Amino acid sequence: MKQRTLGTMKVSEIGAGCMTFAGNYNAPVPKEQAIKTIRTAYENGVTFFDTAEVYGPYISEEFVGEALAPFRDKVQIATKFGFAIDGTIALNSRPEHIRKVVEESLKRLRTDHIDLYYQHRVDPAVPIEEVAGALKELINQGKVLHFGLSEASAKTIRRAHAVQPVAAVQSEYSLWTRNVELNGVLDTCKELGIGFVPWSPVGAGFLTGKIDTNTKFDPKTDFRAGFPRFSQEFLKLNMPLIEWLKAYAAKKGATPSQISLAWLLAKGPNIVPIPGTRTEVHLLENLGAQRVQLTATDVLAIDTMLGKYPVFGDRMGEAHMSQIDYTV
């Protein structure tokens, strides 16, 4: 596995998203399955693992902490703060709250430091300079090594970076979610030497080619049941994109997931996607993307084709979209 740099932190060029072990797209998996899959990722070269306190809540961090404990000094763990976790999806990035929850995450992760600590969502009630200042304190104390932001606007990134250097920005980015190419976020990261981490790089499963118009999403366990683009109305309209992707992948001797990840890797040397999976089979399929070499000509051809397939429906439900930082 090759390595890439997020700010000054070296990580594997493909990371492991660990949200789905705790649910959100299905019911949680048994702990033994999660630990085995995480360790298989490590055995196959993955050194960058992404989790958050809100996943479960808490379950994903516990799984990651136990799975990685035997080789903690050989991996980088990213986790996130910023939700109130009070039965709602309210935000809380007050400095005193950050100082409290970092201790709880350290305990669940079985470690004395967090390699990359993201603000999960920008909290409009707390100036980003105060958040960055709190992270600077934690970094000075050695409890956190690097500061990150998630779903932050270009303006917010600049304001935070002026107080405490931002190592990485995480936002949804894939073949069917490309807003960061247009809103200045990718350009700002490149300009400031900040790494970029695409979450949901295979489109919450859509870009695997295994979802069709008959796929049902359980509203009790699966966030996608409330995501407009996964509704029956819009899923039909979005299928031409996946049919094209399947055909393109076949020509390249790859799977749709591998093309989706290889496209992101080819987009820039500071980009490190973190596909999530619940099984070893899908994990190994995703890691096979590093063997798919897309040239600049390939990327241009893909981008040109994407322009012919408009995406129908918002990427998340209204409540989640209301927490995206659109500051300009």
Side-chain angles (χ1 to χ4, degrees), residues 29-256:
V29 302
K31 182 175 73 170
E32 295 74 18
Q33 178 182 334
I35 290 174
K36 187 177 181 184
T37 303
I38 292 168
R39 289 180 175 171
T40 298
Y42 172 74
E43 291 163 3
N44 283 273
V46 176
T47 63
F48 185 46
F49 295 83
D50 181 277
T51 182
E53 61 169 1
V54 77
Y55 299 160
Y58 313 130
I59 295 171
S60 176
E61 283 190 332
E62 292 170 356
F63 287 174
V64 169
E66 183 171 344
L68 297 180
F71 26 83
R72 173 65 186 95
D73 61 339
K74 297 180 181 178
V75 298
Q76 297 81 41
I77 296 176
T79 191
K80 310 176 194 74
F81 65 89
F83 281 100
I85 312 186
D86 57 1
T88 71
I89 60 169
L91 301 176
N92 187 347
S93 281
R94 296 192 307 274
E96 62 270 23
H97 182 72
I98 298 171
R99 288 190 286 268
K100 172 181 177 291
V101 298
V102 71
E103 300 295 341
E104 296 167 356
S105 286
L106 286 168
K107 183 178 291 186
R108 286 188 291 270
L109 291 167
R110 306 188 183 194
T111 186
D112 62 356
H113 70 278
I114 293 166
D115 297 279
L116 176 59
Y117 204 28
Y118 291 103
Q119 182 188 37
H120 208 152
R121 291 291 184 270
V122 176
D123 186 346
V126 183
I128 195 64
E129 289 81 2
E130 292 185 16
V131 176
L135 266 292
K136 181 186 282 289
E137 291 178 10
L138 294 177
I139 289 171
N140 289 338
Q141 294 167 8
K143 295 178 181 179
V144 171
L145 302 188
H146 302 276
F147 172 34
L149 296 170
S150 178
E151 292 290 349
S153 68
K155 183 176 181 180
T156 298
I157 294 166
R158 290 183 185 278
R159 288 171 55 195
H161 192 71
V163 176
Q164 169 61 43
V166 176
V169 171
Q170 180 181 123
S171 294
E172 186 171 2
Y173 183 34
S174 70
L175 289 170
W176 77 333
T177 303
R178 302 174 62 193
N179 50 301
V180 293
E181 295 182 356
L182 305 174
N183 62 15
V185 168
L186 279 184
D187 289 340
T188 298
C189 289
K190 183 177 180 181
E191 175 192 338
L192 299 178
I194 298 171
F196 187 83
V197 178
W199 66 267
S200 202
V202 291
F206 180 73
L207 299 174
T208 65
K210 295 164 186 171
I211 289 174
D212 59 32
T213 54
N214 296 314
T215 303
K216 305 296 182 183
F217 305 99
D218 185 346
K220 294 181 180 179
T221 59
D222 197 325
F223 280 174
R224 292 172 295 186
F227 291 0
R229 63 178 53 173
F230 283 99
S231 68
Q232 288 297 302
E233 176 188 2
F234 290 134
L235 205 53
K236 292 179 182 178
L237 297 176
N238 287 319
M239 290 312 296
L241 168 62
I242 204 66
E243 294 306 321
W244 167 80
L245 179 58
K246 286 179 179 178
Y248 183 88
K251 291 178 183 178
K252 290 289 187 180
T255 68

